[in-house]
Amino acid sequence: MFAIAHLLKKGEGKIAEVGEEKVAAYRNDSGQLHLVSSVCTHLGCVVHWNSAEKSWDCPCHGSRFSVDGKVLEGPAYLDLAKREK
Ligand code: FES
Protein backbone atom coordinates (compact mmCIF):
# COMPACT_ATOMS: atom_id res chain seq x y z
CA MET A 1 0.00 0.00 0.00
CA PHE A 2 2.98 2.25 0.55
CA ALA A 3 3.37 2.47 -3.22
CA ILE A 4 -0.22 3.67 -3.72
CA ALA A 5 0.20 6.51 -1.26
CA HIS A 6 3.14 7.80 -3.24
CA LEU A 7 1.34 7.53 -6.59
CA LEU A 8 -1.44 9.79 -5.37
CA LYS A 9 -1.16 13.51 -4.90
CA LYS A 10 -3.06 14.99 -1.97
CA GLY A 11 -6.73 15.37 -2.87
CA GLU A 12 -6.50 12.85 -5.70
CA GLY A 13 -8.28 9.53 -6.24
CA LYS A 14 -7.35 6.63 -8.51
CA ILE A 15 -8.21 3.04 -9.17
CA ALA A 16 -5.17 1.01 -8.15
CA GLU A 17 -4.49 -2.67 -8.61
CA VAL A 18 -3.64 -4.39 -5.35
CA GLY A 19 -2.86 -8.01 -6.05
CA GLU A 20 -5.76 -9.16 -8.21
CA GLU A 21 -8.19 -6.56 -6.93
CA LYS A 22 -8.90 -3.05 -8.18
CA VAL A 23 -9.16 -0.75 -5.20
CA ALA A 24 -10.51 2.81 -5.11
CA ALA A 25 -7.76 4.85 -3.44
CA TYR A 26 -8.03 8.46 -2.30
CA ARG A 27 -5.44 10.54 -0.50
CA ASN A 28 -6.87 13.43 1.51
CA ASP A 29 -5.34 16.88 1.96
CA SER A 30 -3.55 15.71 5.12
CA GLY A 31 -2.00 12.83 3.21
CA GLN A 32 -4.19 10.13 4.77
CA LEU A 33 -5.08 7.22 2.50
CA HIS A 34 -8.69 6.00 2.14
CA LEU A 35 -9.12 2.62 0.47
CA VAL A 36 -12.42 1.02 -0.53
CA SER A 37 -13.53 -1.63 -2.99
CA SER A 38 -13.94 -0.26 -6.53
CA VAL A 39 -16.84 -2.61 -7.26
CA CYS A 40 -20.21 -0.87 -7.13
CA THR A 41 -22.59 -2.61 -4.73
CA HIS A 42 -25.51 -2.22 -7.15
CA LEU A 43 -24.57 -4.53 -10.03
CA GLY A 44 -20.80 -4.67 -9.93
CA CYS A 45 -19.44 -2.01 -12.31
CA VAL A 46 -16.12 -0.38 -11.42
CA VAL A 47 -16.52 3.13 -9.99
CA HIS A 48 -14.68 6.16 -11.40
CA TRP A 49 -13.09 9.05 -9.54
CA ASN A 50 -15.03 12.33 -9.73
CA SER A 51 -12.41 15.00 -9.05
CA ALA A 52 -14.92 17.87 -9.02
CA GLU A 53 -17.13 16.32 -6.32
CA LYS A 54 -14.43 14.17 -4.68
CA SER A 55 -16.59 11.09 -4.89
CA TRP A 56 -16.58 7.64 -6.45
CA ASP A 57 -19.22 7.55 -9.18
CA CYS A 58 -20.57 4.51 -10.96
CA PRO A 59 -20.81 4.89 -14.76
CA CYS A 60 -23.50 2.22 -15.10
CA HIS A 61 -26.55 3.56 -13.26
CA GLY A 62 -25.32 6.67 -11.48
CA SER A 63 -24.69 5.55 -7.91
CA ARG A 64 -22.27 7.78 -6.03
CA PHE A 65 -20.11 7.03 -2.98
CA SER A 66 -18.01 9.13 -0.60
CA VAL A 67 -14.24 8.67 -0.33
CA ASP A 68 -14.96 6.31 2.59
CA GLY A 69 -17.40 4.30 0.49
CA LYS A 70 -20.66 5.61 1.99
CA VAL A 71 -23.60 5.72 -0.42
CA LEU A 72 -24.32 9.32 -1.50
CA GLU A 73 -26.83 8.46 -4.22
CA GLY A 74 -28.55 5.23 -5.31
CA PRO A 75 -29.64 2.96 -6.80
CA ALA A 76 -26.93 1.27 -4.71
CA TYR A 77 -27.91 1.12 -1.05
CA LEU A 78 -24.90 -0.70 0.39
CA ASP A 79 -21.61 1.08 1.03
CA LEU A 80 -18.40 0.12 -0.77
CA ALA A 81 -16.39 -2.29 1.36
CA LYS A 82 -13.38 -0.86 3.18
CA ARG A 83 -9.98 -2.20 2.26
CA GLU A 84 -6.86 -2.53 4.37
CA LYS A 85 -4.26 0.20 4.21
S1 FES B 1 -23.78 -1.01 -11.15
FE1 FES B 1 -23.28 0.86 -10.17
S2 FES B 1 -25.13 1.95 -10.20
FE2 FES B 1 -25.63 0.07 -11.12
Side-chain angles (χ1 to χ4, degrees):
M1 264 354 127
F2 183 76
I4 295 173
H6 289 271
L7 286 175
L8 288 170
K9 295 180 189 135
K10 289 180 179 176
E12 186 178 52
K14 271 189 185 164
I15 301 297
E17 291 202 16
V18 178
E20 294 186 1
E21 185 181 13
K22 288 184 176 173
V23 169
Y26 168 70
R27 194 174 182 204
N28 71 14
D29 291 337
S30 310
Q32 188 185 7
L33 199 57
H34 299 250
L35 297 177
V36 293
S37 167
S38 66
V39 178
C40 178
T41 56
H42 179 227
L43 290 176
C45 293
V46 173
V47 295
H48 291 186
W49 177 240
N50 177 340
S51 58
E53 301 288 337
K54 296 211 187 303
S55 61
W56 295 107
D57 296 359
C58 182
C60 291
H61 314 100
S63 290
R64 298 181 58 237
F65 303 87
S66 74
V67 294
D68 287 321
K70 298 266 183 236
V71 174
L72 300 173
E73 283 181 42
Y77 60 90
L78 295 174
D79 297 341
L80 299 175
K82 300 246 188 205
R83 290 294 181 256
E84 294 286 314
K85 288 183 197 164

